[in-house]
């Protein structure tokens, strides 16, 4: 039997490699009820914003412009007129509070991320708040071993 969770986490990881900033390589794949791809996204600059040398080196100016993977996937779905209601979001990193809010508003039903992550202590509080927000909204959050046999 195919392990679809692992396959989609691998795809999300592949998409994360497209990120322009190696320190924020996060990918998101949103899948519909029949496992069809609805949207994808990765951390990076929104379309239309130049990542000039000045922006790339000035972190204080850069990060307010960076869109998170989940938000990029949501924006892409909106742009092409695809609903994400009832879908599953596969992400390479647990969503922060900002992305959790966006996923809730988009109607995503479930979030799956790799179980074998080491979350830095400075992000634990944000992930705790994010988990509580998702739980209150009725969004199922699961972690799975991303290295499991996908055959």
């Amino acid at each position: 039997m195919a392990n679809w969770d692992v396959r989609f986490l691998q795809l999300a990881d592949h998409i994360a490699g497209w990120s322009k900033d190696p320190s924020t390589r996060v990918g998101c794949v949103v899948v519909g009820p029949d496992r069809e791809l609805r949207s994808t996204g990765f951390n990076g600059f929104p379309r239309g914003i130049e990542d000039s040398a000045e922006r790339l080196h000035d972190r204080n100016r850069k990060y307010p412009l960076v869109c998170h993977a989940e938000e990029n996937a949501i924006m892409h779905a909106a742009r092409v007129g695809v609903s994400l209601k009832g879908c599953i979001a596969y992400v390479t990193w647990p969503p922060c509070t900002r992305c959790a809010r966006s996923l809730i508003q988009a109607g995503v039903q479930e979030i799956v991320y790799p179980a074998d992550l080491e979350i830095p202590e400075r992000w634990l509080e944000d992930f705790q708040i994010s988990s509580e927000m998702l739980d209150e909204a009725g969004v199922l959050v699961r972690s799975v071993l991303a290295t499991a046999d996908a055959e």
Side-chain angles (χ1 to χ4, degrees):
M1 181 175 206
N3 187 335
W4 295 106
D5 285 344
V6 172
R7 289 178 189 267
F8 287 119
L9 282 175
Q10 288 171 342
L11 180 55
D13 187 55
H14 172 70
I15 288 168
W18 301 346
S19 181
K20 296 173 183 169
D21 181 354
S23 70
T24 60
R25 283 199 175 144
V26 182
C28 175
V29 172
V30 185
V31 179
D34 296 320
R35 292 193 292 266
E36 77 280 8
L37 287 181
R38 292 279 178 98
S39 188
T40 61
F42 62 95
N43 277 20
F45 287 94
R47 289 177 190 230
I49 293 179
E50 283 184 44
D51 47 339
S52 65
E54 183 181 343
R55 278 206 176 96
L56 288 173
H57 293 294
D58 186 347
R59 296 174 83 83
N60 290 331
R61 288 181 57 198
K62 177 186 171 190
Y63 279 101
L65 298 173
V66 170
C67 280
H68 294 201
E70 298 90 331
E71 292 179 327
N72 270 326
I74 291 166
M75 287 191 302
H76 174 258
R79 201 166 32 247
V80 297
V82 173
S83 172
L84 301 183
K85 187 171 180 155
C87 290
I88 301 174
Y90 291 93
V91 291
T92 56
W93 196 253
C96 64
T97 51
R98 168 178 154 175
C99 289
R101 188 169 30 256
S102 296
L103 290 165
I104 291 166
Q105 290 172 345
V108 169
Q109 177 180 321
E110 188 174 343
I111 298 167
V112 180
Y113 66 88
D116 48 358
L117 298 173
E118 290 185 31
I119 310 290
E121 191 172 328
R122 68 183 181 275
W123 292 333
L124 288 176
E125 184 178 357
D126 185 69
F127 288 138
Q128 178 63 38
I129 295 169
S130 170
S131 296
E132 291 170 2
M133 288 170 55
L134 292 164
D135 186 50
E136 287 175 16
V139 177
L140 176 64
V141 179
R142 295 187 294 120
S143 60
V144 299
L145 285 175
T147 56
D149 183 14
E151 295 302 319

